[in-house]
Each structure stands twice: as structure tokens, then as C-alpha cells.
Amino acid sequence: MKNLVIVESPAKAKTIEGFLGKDFTVKSSFGHIRDLPQKNLSVDTANGYAPDYVVPKDKEALVRELKKLAKAADMVWLASDEDREGEAISWHLFETLGLDDKKTRRIVFHEITKSAILQAVENPRPIDQNLVNAQQARRILDRLVGYELSPVLWKKVKPSLSAGRVQSVAVRLIVEREREVDGFNSTSAFRVLGFFTSNGKEFRAELSERFATEAEAKAFLEKCKSAIFTVTDLQTKPAKRTPAAPFTTSTLQQEASRKLGLPVARTMQLAQNLYEEGHITYMRTDSTNLSGLAINSAKDEIISSYGEQYHKTRQYAAKAKGAQEAHEAIRPTYMNKYRAGSSAQHERLYELIWKRTIASQMADAELERTTIDIQVSGVPQPFVAKGEVIKFDGFLKVYMEDTDDENTDEDQKGLLPSVKVGQQLGMERIEATERFTQAPPRYTEASLVRKLEELGIGRPSTYAPTISTVINRGYVVKEDREGVQRRYTSILLKGADIKQERKTEITGAEKAKLFPTDIGVVVTDFLVENFKDILDYNFTAQVELEFDEIAEGKKEWVKMIDGFYLPFHEATLHTSEHSKKATGERLLGVHPESGKNVMARLGKFGPMIQVGDTDSEEKPAFASLLAGQRLSDITLEQALDLFKLPRRMEEFEGKVLSVGVGRFGPFVKHGSTYTSIPKGEDPLEITRERAVELVVSKREAAAKALINTFNDGDDVIEVKEGRFGPYIAVGKDNFKIPKGTDPASLTLESCKTIMASDEAKPKGRFGNRAKANAAKTAPRPAAKSKSKPRPKPKAK
């Protein structure tokens, strides 16, 4: 074999293989082939923070295969991604496979096209150790923070918690925003809109001032009954809009969230697929730069599709502050390809990238903005009408950028009627409506990414995993919440009549917003109090800049970690020894019957209510909070209601029927069987009829799911229909039934054959039975050779 090319993903390997010809064999490393082990710190803090990298068991066979191929190859080409993570993958491959410098080349490219791949092969370079060190510094520092901080949280807050350097700062942002919302006091004022006519055409204008009280608004409308409305000023000015720059990672994540409703992690997954299939350039970048080839391709496409007048060459600033080493913005590899991707979501994301790129090379939109001032006789405040007309659509023909601003644009858009200064207008009606100030908006995934980027926290490769991590750890939830009804006053003047109404509207409704959980709040408060630097925004941003300096060869990674770790280590020791236990405890009042204190606090299994002091002779009583209840705002009355659970009901089928709340939420218990109560249903209000309905529904669903049952000694083997297709269940182990197999036709022997196959083996915590079953049916392997194992490669 002449040439072995190693990339990090099978999809990327498949695309590249089609470009290189028969002299090249392309293989995938499936990501990192070695890493710090999960169960140990594996960082020698006393010896220059030397990492102890290991090859995971599931990669050992792959490493053996790659070693064999590399030994047989004349040249090995390491073609992982061009960022720090990709550089580290190449370095780990070089070290682990024991590659020879003379027979190894490192190649990089930011798009997977034939020309880019061939150009990369013609221009190889050495592995950039500075980039490797920057990735290694981040990995080791995050491991040190996680491994030293998490035990402190277990001891002082709650078991099984974990903390991270960037993730904890992200949670702090969300906690602080929630407190801003909770502490916001909304005030109201009356907004006045006038609807006027000129030459038979109606248009709208807003009064330049808002009235604080209903009486002031009504008094103004009284004056308008007999007033004359005169145009006192008319201004028409040209204006323009300029297209947004091509996508960086963060702007793609934000815009895909706004326009397509995609979570940040899903956007990155789709973008990675598009990149690996050769449709777009590399998707982790903070550059807005476009190559000369891309600019010329966009020019040809714009002129051919829309005309010369729609084109304008633009070169955007190459890099943002603290930018990493990627070279170009996210763009299509071929501008004349309008659709790409293997699914509807892929196609929609590709279309978004294509439109944004093309629009960035298009002419400005030319507008005409008109402002009309309307004086009311006997009143100092004027009405102001604003209109906007597009004279030339320019880039708007293709693309309009969205924003996170939740306040609707209340200016009139469109053409205003022709008027002259001094002209008297007809008044159709005037409306004074009570409007309210709004609390700061809660974060969406998109707005959180924007905030992290503004603060300099994280980099293109970290935004998506940061958000996924804080949600998966239970510190933050992403959900919709219903609003509440609010009453407001509307006063209408039409002709000589004034009519006043009390109306209702829904306020405070949220969609796909990020909310801190009680655990997230308690952990954040504990960390802010005891680890000020770790949770400080400027400090975290400074650490990111130091990673950048390491990547540029301006700073030694060991010294950088030393400056961070030594004071941090001292803080963990001091906090573990001297800080108080954090529970977020809040005294709600006293129990009306026993006189004992009633407190809301965080317990071993989550947020709960405690009646009675822990240090008293009598054991306190406890009750878990229901979904939607929070430690910060639960009332004494709501807390006492929780002790009405479990609610025992009239028996059903001769067995006890009750409703309660456990670690995993509210449930109906029938005999020894538990049935979850659907989200949104209050266990305190569930009727017996509804409880019976839930029990019966679960029983019927289980009966439909069971296809067949076999007894195999002490084991019961069940063939079931599940959410993701048919499977075999044995105790807590599940085995996937191969596609195309009729589950109803399976016998005991065929079930055991499937259970013994590698494809069906369960993964994770319940895999022991699978191994035992496989051992019973699998043939014995041939005796292994007693040749000496190869020495383990040392980490540099």
C-alpha cells in the first residue's frame, strides 16, 4: 500500500476516498483514539501536569488495525480537522501508532472538495505542537477543575453533582437572569395611537409621549374631540441596509435557532454532516473571511441569477478578537449548488448558509424613510407617523437576518399617503392602551451563545457542548411555560364618543427558554461564594485568551496551568474544610398545628419541604416539591399541601390505590405497581377515576407490547415491541432484534442467537447479563499467541 490517509470520521473518509484514487487508502479514527481515562484524575500535578493518556477498550482493535496499515504504507497522511481538537487527534495518532517522522505528513483543509484535498496533499506541514498544547491545556485544566471541585459539591451540597469551568459560568448567567426577572417590577403607561386620513387613505401615528395614568389619557382624548390635526413637518430621507457577514459558528447557531428552531447541538450535528459530505466549509470557525475563489463564485452566481446591479464585492474582517486558527467563514463549497443534504433539516440549514453567503456579496438595500409630525390644536404633544419604503431590494431579495429582540417593532412599515405641511387631516379614531414595561428576556440557546461570545467565554468548539452539559446535568431546563392572564385598560375616541373597556391578555408565556433548576441555583450560589475566580466572567475570559496565546506559541502551557491550579487547589482544600453546607434553605413559616418551622431546602434527592428542625429530638417530616414548584417562591400553604400526599383512595380490584410523589415525579400506585402521572397534572387534584384510567392504560400498553415469552432456566425471555422497534428483554437487559426479522416468529433458540451477537448486545450499566449469555452460546476462541505486548507509547 502506497498511501494511508487517516481522518476522524467515516463520513469524511468516504467523501475523501472518492477524490484521491487507487493509490490512497482512507481510514477513520472515529474521533480520539486515546484520552484521559474516565475513572481517574490521570494528571500528575507534581510532575508538570503530565497526562496519563490511555487507549479505550473499544478503540484497541482499531489501533491494532491502523498500526498494521501504517506499517505497510509508504506514507501516512494525518488529515483530521484543522482546529485545535483536530490537531490533537493527529498528534495522538502519531504517538499511539508509533509513526515515523520521515513517513508521516500532516495535511489540513477547510472544505472537502477535490481541489482542496489535492492542494493539501501538495502542501503538507508538520504537526503544530502549539495547537496540540492549547488543546491539551484546556483538557487538563478542565479535568483538574472537575475532579477537584465535584467532591466538594458532593460534601457540601448534594451527592453525584459535578462542576465545570465554563459550564458553571454559563449556569451563573442563567441564574442571574432569572433573578433579574423575579425582581422586576413592571410599571404601566398609556400608549396613544391616532388613525388619520389623507385623500381617503388611512395611516397610523403615535403620540410622542405616554401617559402615566388613566385620568391623564382620558383627559387627552377629551381635548382631541374638538381638536384640529395639522401636518407641521414632513421629512423624507434616503437610507440603506447592509447585509450581515457570512456565518461564524456562533452566528450560525444563533440564526438556525431563530429561523429554524434548531437547538445549538443539533445545528452543529447537521453542519458537521454537511461538511463531511463536502457541501460546506469547516463549521467551527470565528472568521467571517471569504476566499477569493468564493467571492468570485458568489459574484458569478449573483450576476447570472439577479443581474449586475445586485452584486457588490465585500471582504469582511478576517478574524474576531481572540479568534482561533480557522481560515474562512462557513459557506457552501459550490455557490451554484442550491440544495444539499440527506434530510429536510440538512437541506434547510444548507439553504440558510447559502443565502447568508450569497447575500453577503450583494448590494445594499435602498430605502426611503418618511416621518410626518402632526400637531393637535391645544395640545403640546405631536403625533409622529413613520413609514419605510424599499426602493431597491438589493440583498433583501435573498436574505434578512433575524434578531433576539422580543419587543415588537411598532413603527409603521410601508408607504405613507401623500401629505403637505399645513394640511389638515381627518381623524378616524384615537386609541389609548395601557402597556407594561417588560422584564429582561430569559436566555434562549441562541442568545446565551451570543452572550458567551460577547464575554469572551468559550470558543466555537465549546458553545454547543457547554449548553448540552448544563442541561444534561440538571442545572438548567429548556422548556415552554404558559403565561398568566393580565387585565389592562383600553380607551377609544371615535367621533365624539369615548368608550372605555377592561380587556385581558396573556403575559409571561415563554417558548424554548432556559431556566435554572433549584439545584443549579444552590450550586451557583455556593460556587460564587467560595470560588469567586472560577465563576468570574472576566477571569474565565482571560483563561480563554491564555489558551489562544499557547496556540500562538506565546505562552507555555505548563506555566499557564500552574498559575491557575495552585490558588484553585488551595481554595478547594479550604472550602472542603471550612465552608458551611449549602441547601438554599428558606424559612416559610410555622406549622399551624405543631408550631414547628417549615422550610424549603435542597435535600439528598432534590428540592423538598422540611417540617421540624434537624437537631430536634423528634425526626423532621419531609415532602418533595412538585414539578413547577421552586424553593425561591413556594408558599407556606403550597408546602403544607404536599404533606397531604400520598393520598389513599378507594381500592381498585381489591388492591390499595394511592397517589404520591417520588424521586422521579408524581405517580399512581396500585398494589405494588407504579404508573407515572403525565406532566401538567396535579397529584393533589387527580380523581380516583383518573387514577384508575392511568393504571388500566399502562396495563393495556404493556399487553400490546408483549409479543412472546419464553422460560430459560431462571430467566424469563420476553419479545416486545418498543418505542424504537422490537427487542428482546431479559431482566434489565434489552437486545435489539435485527431489521427485517419478524419478532412474532422468534423461538427460544433464535432469541438466544440474537442475544449472543455483537450487534444486539446492550451497552451501558446493564450489560453483564448480555456478556454471560453470550459466553454460554459463543464458540471458544483459539488460543492466543504468547508474544510480548508492545510497549505503551509515552505522552509528551
Side-chain angles (χ1 to χ4, degrees):
M1 179 175 56
K2 291 186 177 181
N3 296 281
L4 172 66
V5 181
I6 306 177
V7 297
E8 63 272 79
S9 81
K12 187 174 174 182
K14 184 178 179 182
T15 306
I16 291 174
E17 199 162 34
F19 298 142
L20 289 176
K22 62 181 181 179
D23 290 338
F24 288 81
T25 298
V26 186
K27 292 291 181 179
S28 169
S29 69
F30 295 86
H32 282 278
I33 61 165
R34 70 173 185 176
D35 198 357
L36 298 174
Q38 291 185 353
K39 293 185 178 180
N40 303 309
L41 175 62
S42 301
V43 176
D44 189 348
T45 56
N47 186 27
Y49 306 98
D52 180 21
Y53 293 117
V54 298
V55 176
K57 285 194 176 297
D58 62 350
K59 290 291 182 75
E60 288 176 353
L62 174 64
V63 169
R64 286 195 295 271
E65 180 193 3
L66 292 177
K67 277 185 176 181
K68 184 178 179 181
L69 292 171
K71 190 174 181 180
D74 295 337
M75 185 65 66
V76 178
W77 305 81
L78 302 176
S80 50
D81 291 338
E82 61 178 338
D83 60 5
R84 297 171 193 175
E85 203 69 31
E87 203 71 17
I89 288 173
S90 282
W91 177 73
H92 282 297
L93 283 165
F94 183 86
E95 294 287 314
T96 307
L97 303 182
L99 300 180
D100 183 350
D101 264 327
K102 296 177 182 178
K103 293 175 54 181
T104 306
R105 299 288 183 270
R106 170 78 171 120
I107 56 173
V108 295
F109 37 85
H110 60 272
E111 61 180 57
I112 303 177
T113 59
K114 186 171 184 177
S115 59
I117 301 302
L118 294 179
Q119 186 177 6
V121 170
E122 291 173 7
N123 297 278
R125 63 165 175 79
I127 291 174
D128 189 331
Q129 198 61 43
N130 292 327
L131 297 183
V132 173
N133 289 339
Q135 186 275 344
Q136 190 165 233
R138 180 188 293 277
R139 184 76 182 92
I140 291 172
L141 193 60
D142 288 346
R143 171 58 66 96
L144 291 170
V145 170
Y147 264 72
E148 296 217 358
L149 208 50
S150 296
V152 177
L153 295 180
W154 303 342
K155 182 178 179 181
K156 298 296 182 179
V157 184
K158 180 179 174 289
S160 302
L161 293 177
S162 58
R165 185 179 55 83
V166 176
Q167 296 93 324
S168 297
V169 175
V171 177
R172 181 184 179 183
L173 282 169
I174 296 165
V175 169
E176 290 183 345
R177 178 55 56 87
E178 191 67 22
R179 285 182 170 146
E180 286 182 63
V181 173
D182 288 344
F184 184 80
N185 293 316
S186 182
T187 58
S188 67
F190 283 81
R191 176 180 181 235
V192 182
L193 295 177
F195 295 83
F196 304 99
T197 57
S198 173
N199 301 319
K201 293 183 178 178
E202 183 179 287
F203 66 100
R204 187 189 78 185
E206 181 175 351
L207 194 69
S208 61
E209 181 183 327
R210 295 193 178 194
F211 298 111
T213 66
E214 180 183 313
E216 289 175 307
K218 194 177 287 184
F220 174 79
L221 294 185
E222 286 288 350
K223 293 178 182 178
C224 289
K225 281 184 178 180
S226 56
I228 298 172
F229 302 91
T230 307
V231 176
T232 55
D233 190 25
L234 172 64
Q235 292 187 11
T236 300
K237 294 181 179 179
K240 68 177 183 178
R241 286 190 195 172
T242 302
F247 282 129
T248 62
T249 301
S250 68
T251 54
L252 175 64
Q253 290 169 347
Q254 293 168 52
E255 195 73 340
S257 176
R258 300 183 196 114
K259 285 186 179 295
L260 308 181
L262 292 175
V264 167
R266 180 60 178 159
T267 296
M268 293 309 294
Q269 183 182 24
L270 295 170
Q272 177 138 356
N273 297 152
L274 290 171
Y275 165 69
E276 290 174 345
E277 291 166 5
H279 301 310
I280 64 171
T281 52
Y282 191 55
M283 67 287 161
R284 293 189 184 94
T285 175
D286 37 24
S287 172
T288 54
N289 183 45
L290 291 177
S291 67
L293 178 63
I295 289 173
N296 289 331
S297 298
K299 176 182 177 180
D300 293 342
E301 182 59 35
I302 292 164
I303 292 174
S304 66
S305 297
Y306 308 109
E308 182 81 41
Q309 71 274 26
Y310 278 92
H311 174 255
K312 181 177 180 179
T313 297
R314 301 173 191 270
Q315 186 59 273
Y316 295 86
K319 293 192 176 184
K321 183 180 178 182
Q324 282 195 44
E325 55 284 339
H327 304 299
E328 205 174 348
I330 303 169
R331 61 164 176 83
T333 50
Y334 302 103
M335 299 297 178
N336 59 357
K337 182 185 285 186
Y338 310 124
R339 295 180 64 182
S342 55
S343 73
Q345 281 190 332
H346 286 95
E347 288 184 2
R348 290 173 70 205
L349 187 65
Y350 177 83
E351 181 183 34
L352 189 69
I353 295 167
W354 185 90
K355 286 182 175 181
R356 176 84 163 221
T357 307
I358 290 292
S360 74
Q361 298 300 307
M362 292 179 74
D364 294 336
E366 296 174 9
L367 315 171
E368 184 178 84
R369 290 179 179 151
T370 302
T371 304
I372 302 172
D373 288 356
I374 304 164
Q375 191 62 53
V376 185
S377 59
V379 176
Q381 305 95 335
F383 280 95
V384 179
K386 294 181 179 180
E388 182 178 280
V389 178
I390 297 175
K391 292 292 188 180
F392 172 65
D393 53 4
F395 76 94
L396 294 176
K397 196 173 192 72
V398 172
Y399 182 82
M400 167 85 80
E401 184 180 26
D402 280 2
T403 69
D404 291 318
D405 188 1
E406 296 184 5
N407 297 316
T408 56
D409 184 1
E410 294 175 332
D411 287 345
Q412 178 166 326
K413 300 297 183 185
L415 184 65
L416 292 173
S418 177
V419 297
K420 295 179 181 179
V421 173
Q423 177 182 340
Q424 292 185 4
L425 302 173
M427 186 273 286
E428 285 294 309
R429 65 189 185 280
I430 298 177
E431 298 174 358
T433 307
E434 189 178 14
R435 295 290 81 203
F436 300 85
T437 54
Q438 294 182 334
R442 292 181 172 91
Y443 287 109
T444 61
E445 288 194 7
S447 60
L448 181 61
V449 166
R450 186 179 66 181
K451 186 65 176 179
L452 290 170
E453 186 179 37
E454 285 174 3
L455 293 171
I457 296 170
R459 288 295 180 261
S461 60
T462 65
Y463 299 133
T466 294
I467 293 174
S468 297
T469 298
V470 300
I471 292 174
N472 293 338
R473 286 179 176 172
Y475 294 148
V476 171
V477 292
K478 176 185 172 183
E479 61 187 20
D480 301 343
R481 291 191 181 174
E482 293 181 358
V484 295
Q485 274 199 345
R486 176 173 66 190
R487 294 180 67 81
Y488 68 96
T489 301
S490 175
I491 311 170
L492 174 66
L493 167 64
K494 190 162 187 179
D497 296 327
I498 294 179
K499 182 181 178 182
Q500 182 171 325
E501 283 186 86
R502 289 289 285 170
K503 298 181 178 180
T504 60
E505 63 184 355
I506 299 297
T507 182
E510 302 281 25
K511 185 171 179 61
K513 292 295 182 67
L514 300 174
F515 299 85
T517 63
D518 285 327
I519 294 174
V521 172
V522 173
V523 168
T524 296
D525 289 344
F526 177 80
L527 293 176
V528 169
E529 181 179 351
N530 295 285
F531 298 91
K532 289 184 173 61
D533 282 348
I534 296 292
L535 270 288
D536 181 79
Y537 301 132
N538 292 329
F539 179 80
T540 307
Q542 180 58 37
V543 170
E544 293 293 344
L545 293 176
E546 291 185 33
F547 288 146
D548 295 339
E549 290 177 351
I550 293 169
E552 294 164 6
K554 297 177 181 178
K555 200 176 190 79
E556 290 185 26
W557 73 271
V558 174
K559 288 183 179 179
M560 178 265 173
I561 292 182
D562 217 35
F564 178 100
Y565 176 70
L566 295 180
F568 166 71
H569 180 64
E570 289 299 318
T572 57
L573 295 176
H574 181 271
T575 302
S576 182
E577 187 68 29
H578 300 291
S579 69
K580 294 180 180 178
K581 193 171 177 66
T583 64
E585 185 176 295
R586 187 168 70 91
L587 182 63
L588 304 181
V590 296
H591 197 285
E593 297 172 7
S594 67
K596 295 177 181 179
N597 287 332
V598 180
M599 294 158 285
R601 72 178 187 86
L602 191 65
K604 185 178 180 181
F605 300 116
M608 67 178 189
I609 301 299
Q610 176 178 321
V611 177
D613 296 322
T614 309
D615 53 3
S616 64
E617 291 184 7
E618 191 176 345
K619 189 177 179 181
F622 304 98
S624 296
L625 267 62
L626 299 177
Q629 293 180 330
R630 299 189 301 170
L631 293 177
S632 60
D633 58 13
I634 189 170
T635 64
L636 177 62
E637 182 182 4
Q638 291 169 333
L640 294 177
D641 281 343
L642 296 174
F643 289 90
K644 296 175 182 177
L645 298 171
R647 292 168 51 214
R648 185 160 177 167
M649 300 174 170
E650 183 184 340
E651 290 186 354
F652 172 59
E653 298 179 338
K655 295 179 182 177
V656 174
L657 185 69
S658 63
V659 174
V661 177
R663 284 180 63 187
F664 305 109
F667 60 82
V668 175
K669 185 180 180 185
H670 178 232
S672 60
T673 302
Y674 291 84
T675 302
S676 295
I677 294 175
K679 189 176 181 180
E681 296 190 40
D682 188 345
L684 291 166
E685 297 179 2
I686 289 257
T687 63
R688 181 182 181 278
E689 289 72 22
R690 176 59 176 152
V692 169
E693 181 185 344
L694 290 171
V695 170
V696 173
S697 294
K698 180 180 180 179
R699 184 187 299 164
E700 290 175 349
K704 289 179 182 176
L706 186 61
I707 299 171
N708 212 338
T709 303
F710 304 101
N711 292 315
D712 183 29
D714 295 334
D715 290 335
V716 176
I717 299 175
E718 297 177 318
V719 181
K720 294 182 173 182
E721 184 64 49
R723 186 177 167 194
F724 303 107
Y727 66 98
I728 298 167
V730 187
K732 292 181 178 180
D733 286 336
N734 296 329
F735 302 84
K736 184 179 178 182
I737 295 174
K739 195 172 182 180
T741 302
D742 179 10
S745 67
L746 292 177
T747 63
L748 174 59
E749 290 306 315
S750 56
C751 284
K752 291 167 76 173
T753 300
I754 290 172
M755 290 158 58
S757 67
D758 286 337
E759 292 80 4
K761 285 180 185 176
K763 295 178 181 179
R765 55 186 295 211
F766 300 129
N768 292 333
R769 184 189 298 269
K771 293 175 184 176
N773 288 334
K776 290 178 186 176
T777 55
R780 287 181 175 274
K784 290 184 178 179
S785 166
K786 293 186 178 180
S787 60
K788 292 181 180 180
R790 294 189 179 184
K792 177 183 174 183
K794 294 180 181 178
K796 289 185 180 180

